[in-house]
Amino acid sequence: MAESLFDQASERLADAIAHVNISEDAIERLKSPKASLQVSIQVRMDDGTLKVFQGYRVRYNDLRGPTKGGIRFHPNVNMDEVKSLAFWMTFKCAAVNLPFGGAKGGVAVDPKQLSKFELERLSRGYINAIADFMGADVDIPAPDVQTNQTIMGWMVDEYSNIQRRLCPAAITGKPIAMGGSLGRETATGLGAFFAIETLLPLLKMQREQTTVAVQGFGNVGAAIADLLSKAGYKVLAVSDSKGGIYAKQGLDVPSIISYKNSTRSFQAVYCEDSVCNIVEHQTITNEELLKLDVDILIPAALENQITEHNAHEIRAKYIFEIANGPVTPAADTILEKRGIMVFPDILVNAGGVTVSYFEWVQNRSGLYWTLEEVNDRLKHSMIAETLRIWKIADQKQISMRTAAYVHALTRLSEAIDAKGTRAYYVQ
């Protein structure tokens, strides 16, 4: 029987425990989620028929504060996946020192098959089903795969209607007009960019000589590709769920983004004003992109993209995980033996939840920051935590992933010790 995603996630904890002085009680408390919820969401479709969708929400751990985590709409969403993502969020928030625990949610649906009105009814129905499970001091959702600020706007409006009062801090990633934060939409990509920029001199590399491939060209993948390209890195390949493009001389990423936004298809193009010219490139698959000979490979799509089956064929020198869990534990072992360094998701993609925290703070205080203030705070946080984790890895001679978990586990252990023991009994 194939190992579950949660079993894979738990292996990360086991690797880190050997390097941290932590009690057995603390370890036991981190092995299982605090609460899990599965709901059925009834949606009246535009043609009058009724469909029922399965929704999930997991609050993994609230030792350091209310739980925090996104909501994804994807056909493959299930309890195992949501529990694993909530586990990762617990350690991500601790790794970058946010006063949150970890959570995650989702609905098993292909949102591309729904009309706008059906999507809104589903979004509101999901919040109606989990309303007693969330709140600004309990659990704060945000966008994730195939959800966005529009969907978060519907959701926070539904939650406010249920509570009979405005509750902007209950959900982050909202439209600016509803209390959203400037910089939230680009935060995950920008946070990853700050991490890469911080590590580049430590890896003795220079921007103009560094080649990059990005798997996944959604909001986050497009953002990091654009940032790296504008900073001088050579982005050779990008892909989405339908496939990708590769150009040995480098891609003009802003033009590709412009072309894709207007046509919903991929081409290697150079655009000047409204005129776009096709430039020489190869069409490649997602699998082929992962095996390209580049300096930096960025998986920015879904989990389990690099496994024991293809890890031997990876030729990148460094992997920066923007997706959650794109490299399996078995692949980690193979990559480490081959000298390929992996920079983990719980650090690299933490920009999104960091700016979600900023949004939550702004909502609760009623004071809103400029884009420059948001980005400066994000930059300071990402640089500081990246350097701390690098130092742990260097001192203990362990991988960056294990170092990130050691860093997070130390903070979680401190929270457990600070709270002390509590007696539980059955009435």
Side-chain angles (χ1 to χ4, degrees), residues 193 196-197 200 205-212 224-236 249-251 253-254 295-296:
F193 176 74
I196 293 170
E197 284 280 279
L200 202 69
M205 297 171 66
Q206 296 180 341
R207 293 174 176 175
E208 293 75 13
Q209 298 171 3
T210 302
T211 56
V212 182
I224 188 63
D226 191 41
L227 287 164
L228 292 172
S229 175
K230 288 176 178 176
Y233 296 74
K234 287 185 68 175
V235 179
L236 303 188
Q249 73 275 18
L251 299 168
V253 177
D295 296 310
I296 294 175

Side-chain angles (χ1 to χ4, degrees), residues 147-178:
T147 58
N148 55 28
Q149 65 172 359
T150 299
I151 291 171
M152 295 304 110
W154 294 332
M155 289 183 172
V156 77
D157 181 64
E158 184 67 21
Y159 184 76
S160 295
N161 288 338
I162 293 167
Q163 298 298 323
R164 298 291 189 266
R165 57 188 172 85
L166 294 176
C167 304
I171 291 177
T172 60
K174 307 177 296 292
I176 301 298
M178 299 180 74

Side-chain angles (χ1 to χ4, degrees), residues 11-288:
E11 288 182 40
R12 314 297 196 195
L13 176 60
D15 291 341
I17 286 170
H19 303 279
V20 181
N21 184 16
I22 183 171
S23 70
E24 288 297 326
D25 285 355
I27 294 169
E28 198 63 28
R29 291 177 68 173
L30 291 168
K31 284 182 178 178
S32 304
K34 180 172 183 177
S36 304
L37 179 67
Q38 180 173 348
V39 297
S40 295
I41 308 157
Q42 299 180 16
V43 177
R44 185 66 64 184
M45 309 303 283
D46 291 345
D47 63 4
T49 60
L50 185 73
K51 284 193 176 180
V52 178
F53 299 89
Q54 293 304 303
Y56 308 87
R57 187 73 184 172
V58 173
R59 290 170 17 212
Y60 197 88
N61 188 285
D62 60 2
L63 284 166
R64 291 173 48 85
T67 54
K68 187 83 187 73
I71 298 167
R72 60 174 50 184
F73 286 176
H74 192 274
N76 296 333
V77 166
N78 56 58
M79 183 58 79
D80 177 59
E81 179 188 58
V82 172
K83 184 166 65 169
S84 305
L85 293 165
F87 172 91
W88 283 318
M89 279 299 300
T90 298
F91 286 87
K92 184 188 304 182
C93 290
V96 293
N97 205 23
L98 302 180
F100 287 141
K104 212 73 176 185
V107 178
V109 61
D110 181 356
K112 296 174 184 176
Q113 300 301 314
L114 303 183
S115 72
K116 181 178 179 180
F117 293 115
E118 290 168 341
L119 187 59
E120 179 176 355
R121 288 193 284 271
L122 175 66
S123 302
R124 291 180 180 274
Y126 175 76
I127 291 300
N128 195 281
I130 72 163
D132 294 334
F133 204 67
M134 59 172 285
D137 296 310
V138 180
D139 175 39
I140 308 121
D144 198 82
V145 174
Q146 296 192 108
T147 58
N148 55 28
Q149 65 172 359
T150 299
I151 291 171
M152 295 304 110
W154 294 332
M155 289 183 172
V156 77
D157 181 64
E158 184 67 21
Y159 184 76
S160 295
N161 288 338
I162 293 167
Q163 298 298 323
R164 298 291 189 266
R165 57 188 172 85
L166 294 176
C167 304
I171 291 177
T172 60
K174 307 177 296 292
I176 301 298
M178 299 180 74
S181 175
L182 294 170
R184 175 58 185 86
E185 278 201 290
T186 57
T188 304
L190 187 58
F193 176 74
F194 290 143
I196 293 170
E197 284 280 279
T198 302
L199 290 162
L200 202 69
L202 299 173
L203 300 172
K204 297 179 172 54
M205 297 171 66
Q206 296 180 341
R207 293 174 176 175
E208 293 75 13
Q209 298 171 3
T210 302
T211 56
V212 182
V214 180
Q215 185 212 33
F217 207 68
N219 289 339
V220 177
I224 188 63
D226 191 41
L227 287 164
L228 292 172
S229 175
K230 288 176 178 176
Y233 296 74
K234 287 185 68 175
V235 179
L236 303 188
V238 295
S239 68
D240 65 6
S241 59
K242 297 176 183 177
I245 50 177
Y246 166 76
K248 189 175 182 178
Q249 73 275 18
L251 299 168
D252 181 0
V253 177
S255 294
I256 294 170
I257 292 172
S258 175
Y259 188 86
K260 188 182 179 188
N261 287 343
S262 62
T263 66
R264 295 185 177 273
S265 64
F266 256 148
Q267 291 284 0
V269 296
Y270 176 78
C271 297
E272 189 169 342
D273 297 325
S274 61
V275 179
C276 291
N277 297 313
I278 305 297
V279 298
E280 186 177 349
H281 66 279
Q282 293 176 238
T283 300
I284 59 173
T285 65
N286 269 294
E287 293 73 21
E288 289 171 334

Side-chain angles (χ1 to χ4, degrees), residues 335-410:
L335 294 170
E336 189 170 354
K337 287 179 180 177
R338 296 183 60 219
I340 298 172
M341 188 177 290
V342 179
F343 297 94
D345 48 3
I346 67 168
L347 169 65
V348 178
N349 72 16
V353 70
T354 300
V355 177
S356 274
Y357 165 62
F358 297 163
E359 182 176 330
W360 180 76
V361 169
Q362 292 171 83
N363 291 157
R364 292 173 75 90
S365 68
L367 298 173
Y368 288 83
W369 307 337
T370 65
L371 178 60
E372 184 179 8
E373 288 175 314
V374 170
N375 289 344
D376 282 348
R377 290 171 188 264
L378 174 61
K379 183 177 182 178
H380 174 79
S381 175
M382 291 301 299
I383 290 174
E385 300 304 336
T386 298
L387 290 175
R388 287 188 181 109
I389 292 169
W390 176 269
K391 185 177 180 181
I392 292 169
D394 184 54
Q395 288 178 339
K396 294 182 178 289
Q397 291 297 292
I398 55 179
S399 70
M400 281 291 287
R401 187 188 306 284
T402 302
Y405 275 87
V406 166
H407 190 42
L409 197 53
T410 300

